[in-house]
Structure formats: C-alpha cells, structure tokens
Amino acid sequence: ESASDEELGRISNLLVERNVPRDTTIVAKDEPGDSMFVIARGRVKVSIQGDGGREVILNILKTGDFFGEMTLLDDLPRSADVVAAEDTRVLILKREAFVEAIASSPKTALNIMAELSRRLRRADELISNLALLDVATRVAHIMIDLAKRDGEEVEEGILIRERPTQQDIASMIGTSRETVSRVLSDFQRAGLVEMRGREFLLTRKFTVQNQGA
C-alpha cells in the first residue's frame, strides 16, 4: 500500500532534485554513500564490471524506482555502478532523513523491505538462469520480465515500448550482442516477436509458448 499523503509530504520536503545527463555516473561501486535516490524521470542502469572489464547489467530502473538504499542500511560501500541510461532527474534523500523516515513510519520501512525482497528474488533468478538455461531461454526470460514490468496488452499480444538495446540484453544475460541479435532474428522468423523501432511486440504465440515461465 502507498504511503499516506502526510508521510509523502514530510518526505518530499527532505528531497533534493538533481538533473543527470545521459551516460553520467550517479553512484560508483565501492565508494562510500550517504544518500539514496528516487527516479523522478528517466532510466538508469545498475551494473558491475565482470571478467576482463565486461559490463554485467544487474537491473534497469525507471521512473518511480529507487536505488542506493543498501549503503544507508548496512553502512558499507556502494555495491554497483549506477549510470543514467538517458537524461534523468533524481530526487536525493540523505542518510539522516532516510533514518528519520524509517523510524517514524513502519509503512515506509515495510515498503522498502518488500522492494529489497523483490530484488533479492530477481538476483536469485538471474544466478539460476545463468547457470542452468541456454541463451535463447535467457533472452525469453528477459522479455517476459520486461512484459510483466512495462508491457501493455494490445490486440496482437504484449507491447513493450522501450526495449533495452541488444547490447544491454547481452550484458544482462552474460552473452554477446551478436548472439542476442541472432536469437531475436530466430524469434522473429518464428513469429514470436515483432520489432518496431524501440518498441517490440511479444505476439500471442510467444505468450502461449511461455505461459508459466
């Protein structure tokens, strides 16, 4: 359940706005942190550097999502890099205000705990997928996840208006952009997916084949 208007008003008075140009690093892995961030507009990529400097994308967050709360809870350095995927506006909440909000509102604390639990489950699923699933199935799982989060039901299937780039998908599932391109081409030939610029459509055939995934 959402926070009360009174609670939101109290917290909003403590937030500081910051506009972040595309490709700007908002937080860097291993640096100390004293703030969490709420995305007021835009998208960010949460990533770490894998073997040989290869980027591994852990998550793509959008308007309404938050990040940076872990360091406020455990007082440890940042666990990942967060970079603006497009021009983004963030709202910054400092540690003192965060602690006050948590202490004064059990509902706020529960909402943050619920979101942390969702992210932990997603991380468990990602680790399992990387270990057990072939690349085509991993790509399908990314599409299903995007459909659940951002998909719009249309007559032909589920429309995702802002799909990640092929390189971003590759970085999320531990493979190359060329492999993702080949898999998506296979999906298109099979009538499972239609590419429409930055949009893509998961057809009814795709959703029927992947029910319960």
Side-chain angles (χ1 to χ4, degrees), residues 82-97:
V82 181
V83 177
E86 59 189 50
D87 290 347
T88 297
R89 185 168 75 246
V90 294
L91 306 176
I92 306 171
L93 186 66
K94 291 289 187 179
R95 181 189 303 275
E96 295 79 10

Side-chain angles (χ1 to χ4, degrees), residues 87-130:
D87 290 347
T88 297
R89 185 168 75 246
V90 294
L91 306 176
I92 306 171
L93 186 66
K94 291 289 187 179
R95 181 189 303 275
E96 295 79 10
F98 173 81
V99 171
E100 179 185 337
I102 293 296
S104 63
S105 173
K107 186 178 293 184
T108 298
L110 287 171
N111 287 340
I112 290 175
M113 289 169 63
E115 178 60 24
L116 290 173
S117 294
R118 281 191 290 270
R119 292 182 186 178
L120 182 58
R121 288 179 184 275
R122 189 176 187 278
D124 287 344
E125 182 180 0
L126 174 62
I127 293 167
S128 175
N129 288 350
L130 289 173

Side-chain angles (χ1 to χ4, degrees), residues 86-205:
E86 59 189 50
D87 290 347
T88 297
R89 185 168 75 246
V90 294
L91 306 176
I92 306 171
L93 186 66
K94 291 289 187 179
R95 181 189 303 275
E96 295 79 10
F98 173 81
V99 171
E100 179 185 337
I102 293 296
S104 63
S105 173
K107 186 178 293 184
T108 298
L110 287 171
N111 287 340
I112 290 175
M113 289 169 63
E115 178 60 24
L116 290 173
S117 294
R118 281 191 290 270
R119 292 182 186 178
L120 182 58
R121 288 179 184 275
R122 189 176 187 278
D124 287 344
E125 182 180 0
L126 174 62
I127 293 167
S128 175
N129 288 350
L130 289 173
L132 302 175
L133 302 180
D134 60 56
V135 173
T137 308
R138 280 183 255 160
V139 173
H141 273 246
I142 288 291
M143 292 179 157
I144 293 165
D145 187 47
L146 287 169
K148 289 177 180 176
R149 294 177 59 195
D150 301 321
E152 175 185 336
E153 285 274 359
V154 295
E155 185 177 348
E156 310 100 304
I158 301 176
L159 184 66
I160 299 169
R161 296 199 176 275
E162 291 194 27
R163 64 180 173 86
T165 66
Q166 292 182 4
Q167 182 57 61
D168 282 349
I169 294 173
S171 297
M172 294 168 81
I173 63 173
T175 190
S176 67
R177 187 197 63 79
E178 292 77 13
T179 300
V180 170
S181 178
R182 186 168 62 251
V183 168
L184 291 176
S185 294
D186 290 343
F187 284 178
Q188 288 184 88
R189 282 193 294 272
L192 301 174
V193 171
E194 292 180 16
M195 298 294 180
R196 302 176 176 180
R198 284 306 306 271
E199 300 180 347
F200 69 75
L201 176 77
L202 304 184
T203 66
R204 295 292 179 191
K205 184 177 180 182

Side-chain angles (χ1 to χ4, degrees), residues 1 19 21 38 42 51 58 62-63 68 114 118 121 123 129 170 188 208:
E1 188 178 345
N19 291 313
V38 180
D51 295 339
L58 304 176
K62 61 186 189 328
T63 301
R118 281 191 290 270
R121 288 179 184 275
N129 288 350
Q188 288 184 88
V208 168

Side-chain angles (χ1 to χ4, degrees), residues 1-137:
E1 188 178 345
S2 299
S4 67
D5 290 342
E6 180 183 353
E7 179 188 354
L8 289 174
R10 184 176 67 252
I11 294 175
S12 66
N13 291 331
L14 303 172
L15 296 169
V16 177
E17 285 195 11
R18 174 183 166 197
N19 291 313
V20 184
R22 180 177 178 169
D23 296 329
T24 300
T25 298
I26 304 172
V27 302
K29 187 178 186 300
D30 294 329
E31 73 177 10
D34 66 350
S35 306
M36 68 169 285
F37 302 80
V38 180
I39 303 172
R41 186 193 70 241
R43 292 184 305 136
V44 304
K45 291 194 297 185
V46 183
S47 65
I48 58 174
Q49 295 297 312
D51 295 339
R54 178 174 56 86
E55 181 185 44
V56 178
I57 295 178
L58 304 176
N59 210 346
I60 297 178
L61 304 177
K62 61 186 189 328
T63 301
D65 290 333
F66 61 84
F67 61 92
E69 74 292 338
M70 285 175 56
T71 191
L72 301 188
L73 293 168
D74 60 19
D75 203 27
L76 294 175
R78 302 290 189 187
S79 61
D81 298 317
V82 181
V83 177
E86 59 189 50
D87 290 347
T88 297
R89 185 168 75 246
V90 294
L91 306 176
I92 306 171
L93 186 66
K94 291 289 187 179
R95 181 189 303 275
E96 295 79 10
F98 173 81
V99 171
E100 179 185 337
I102 293 296
S104 63
S105 173
K107 186 178 293 184
T108 298
L110 287 171
N111 287 340
I112 290 175
M113 289 169 63
E115 178 60 24
L116 290 173
S117 294
R118 281 191 290 270
R119 292 182 186 178
L120 182 58
R121 288 179 184 275
R122 189 176 187 278
D124 287 344
E125 182 180 0
L126 174 62
I127 293 167
S128 175
N129 288 350
L130 289 173
L132 302 175
L133 302 180
D134 60 56
V135 173
T137 308

